[in-house]
Amino acid sequence: MNNLTIAKKLIILVFVALASLVLVGIVAIYEMRSAQQRFDTVQHSVIPAIVLLSETNAHSAAIRSAVCDYIIGGFIGDTTLQKAQMANLDDLKKKINDNLDRYQKEFLTDDQDKTLLENDRKALAAYLAEVNDVFGKVERQDIPGLSQQFSANGQFRVTAGKLIHSFSEH
């Protein structure tokens, strides 16, 4: 290196600097593409999945409202209100099941996600069984049974809490 002239040393320095800049540019382009792929995944998979699960959770809350309206209709003798709430309940069940089916088809990512979805379905089935039990008690005018269902440790309240927790965990 002692034999190199200043001009040759400057040329080597410029070449090394340019090679380093090219290398940094190539790495930057690769990382930028990787970041864009992650952004696309979030935008096209994660956000729509969250919106779908949030919508499903809102439908489950609407079921609780329909149950209350059904109970009120049963005790004031308003069969029209009860029939409307039964139709509403059927519609909400369909929407929830459609959302869960869509999630399974379009957004399921791994075994953990599959387990969470199965837990959601089990919690929903248990909750809907309790809804049917509540409806039966309304038809029989079983006030003590309804009171027990809606107590702090009542099955309706417990299964509703489990459903909310299951959706929240997902």
Side-chain angles (χ1 to χ4, degrees):
M1 282 282 261
N2 290 339
N3 300 1
L4 295 177
T5 64
I6 292 177
K8 287 183 182 178
K9 287 180 183 179
L10 286 174
I11 290 172
I12 291 172
L13 177 65
V14 168
F15 177 75
V16 169
L18 286 175
S20 298
L21 283 174
V22 168
L23 182 63
V24 167
I26 290 171
V27 170
I29 289 171
Y30 173 77
E31 289 299 320
M32 190 171 65
R33 284 185 183 164
S34 177
Q36 182 64 38
Q37 287 173 342
R38 289 190 302 272
F39 176 75
D40 288 344
T41 298
V42 167
Q43 188 175 12
H44 297 294
S45 295
V46 176
I47 292 173
I50 291 170
V51 168
L52 187 64
L53 290 173
S54 177
E55 181 181 297
T56 303
N57 195 15
H59 291 320
S60 75
I63 287 177
R64 288 187 288 285
S65 177
V67 168
C68 289
D69 288 347
Y70 185 88
I71 292 169
I72 291 168
F75 284 100
I76 63 173
D78 188 346
T79 57
T80 304
L81 178 61
Q82 285 184 301
K83 287 179 183 177
Q85 291 314 313
M86 284 298 290
N88 188 22
L89 179 67
D90 290 339
D91 182 52
L92 290 168
K93 284 193 288 190
K94 181 181 180 333
K95 286 179 181 178
I96 289 173
N97 284 320
D98 288 349
N99 282 357
L100 294 177
D101 290 343
R102 180 175 169 219
Y103 184 89
Q104 183 174 2
K105 183 179 178 182
E106 296 177 20
F107 302 114
L108 199 65
T109 57
D110 57 17
D111 288 338
Q112 181 183 6
D113 202 18
K114 185 177 182 180
T115 301
L116 290 170
L117 184 62
E118 288 171 3
N119 291 343
D120 291 345
R121 289 184 189 276
K122 288 176 187 174
L124 178 64
Y127 179 68
L128 292 175
E130 290 304 316
V131 167
N132 289 332
D133 189 46
V134 166
F135 284 5
K137 288 179 178 168
V138 168
E139 290 169 9
R140 294 186 304 275
Q141 299 288 313
D142 181 2
I143 294 173
L146 283 171
S147 179
Q148 190 284 326
Q149 281 282 45
F150 286 92
S151 69
N153 296 325
Q155 276 304 107
F156 181 82
R157 194 171 298 271
V158 168
T159 56
K162 287 181 180 178
L163 180 63
I164 291 167
H165 179 73
S166 180
F167 284 150
S168 297
E169 286 291 307
H170 202 150

